[in-house]
């Protein structure tokens, strides 16, 4: 039996796992530097890095599983590509937004650039909307 290879989903998964592992290593290096083994202590920077990593972990797996199901159901490649590309861009925007304390803890903590808040908001909103749209697409096409 020939099972189709979910090519586009595999590319999206590869990009997301590289991003995920990069964020994880960033947390680990910060922990090593500060000797904080578990939790975040009172370290806002470690909290930010841990949440940036954790948020991707919370969202990427289910998205990839759903995207793969949609692809295996022979949805048009352009649909899969658009969903995957938007999700990846949103996750990158979210990670960049979370790369500043302004992006994670608000403008009152720093006089830094508020673009980080905007990037985080676009990334989070885009992630949610893309997931909702992909789930809706799958439900809508199940009977087709």
């Amino acid at each position: 039996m020939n099972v189709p290879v979910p090519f586009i989903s595999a590319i999206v998964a590869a990009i997301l796992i590289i991003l995920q592992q990069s964020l994880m290593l960033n947390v680990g290096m910060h922990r090593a530097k500060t000797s904080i083994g578990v939790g975040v202590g009172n370290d806002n920077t470690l909290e930010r890095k841990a949440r940036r990593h954790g948020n991707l972990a919370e969202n990427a797996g289910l998205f990839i599983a759903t995207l793969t199901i949609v692809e295996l159901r022979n949805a048009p490649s352009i649909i899969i590509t658009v969903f995957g590309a938007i999700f990846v861009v949103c996750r990158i925007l979210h990670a960049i937004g979370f790369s500043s304390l302004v992006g994670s803890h608000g403008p009152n903590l720093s006089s830094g650039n508020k673009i980080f808040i905007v990037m985080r908001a676009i990334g989070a909103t885009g992630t949610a909307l893309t997931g909702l749209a992909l789930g809706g697409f799958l439900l809508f096409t199940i009977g087709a």
Side-chain angles (χ1 to χ4, degrees):
M1 178 172 146
N2 273 342
V3 177
V5 176
F7 181 75
I8 299 166
S9 298
I11 292 170
V12 173
I15 293 167
L16 291 174
I17 192 70
I18 290 167
L19 178 60
Q20 181 71 39
Q21 297 311 300
S22 298
L23 296 176
M24 180 191 70
L25 290 170
N26 189 255
V27 171
M29 289 186 304
H30 189 95
R31 286 186 186 286
K33 188 170 54 175
T34 60
S35 299
I36 300 173
V38 176
V40 296
N42 290 324
D43 189 331
N44 282 346
T45 300
L46 180 55
E47 179 183 22
R48 170 178 52 82
K49 290 177 179 182
R51 283 304 312 137
R52 184 173 65 173
H53 165 259
N55 192 272
L56 179 60
E58 292 165 355
N59 288 283
L62 187 54
F63 181 85
I64 285 297
T66 307
L67 188 68
T68 301
I69 291 167
V70 169
E71 189 168 3
L72 289 172
R73 292 185 46 75
N74 294 318
S77 294
I78 188 67
I79 297 290
I80 300 157
T81 301
V82 168
F83 276 123
I86 291 171
F87 188 83
V88 166
V89 167
C90 288
R91 295 320 306 162
I92 290 170
L93 285 173
H94 187 267
I96 292 170
F98 245 112
S99 69
S100 163
L101 281 174
V102 174
S104 63
H105 289 78
N108 295 331
L109 291 180
S110 169
S111 61
N113 195 336
K114 292 179 181 46
I115 189 70
F116 293 104
I117 296 169
V118 172
M119 292 176 89
R120 178 182 173 198
I122 291 170
T125 303
T127 295
L129 293 177
T130 304
L132 287 168
L134 181 62
F137 180 83
L138 180 57
L139 277 175
F140 183 74
T141 60
I142 283 176

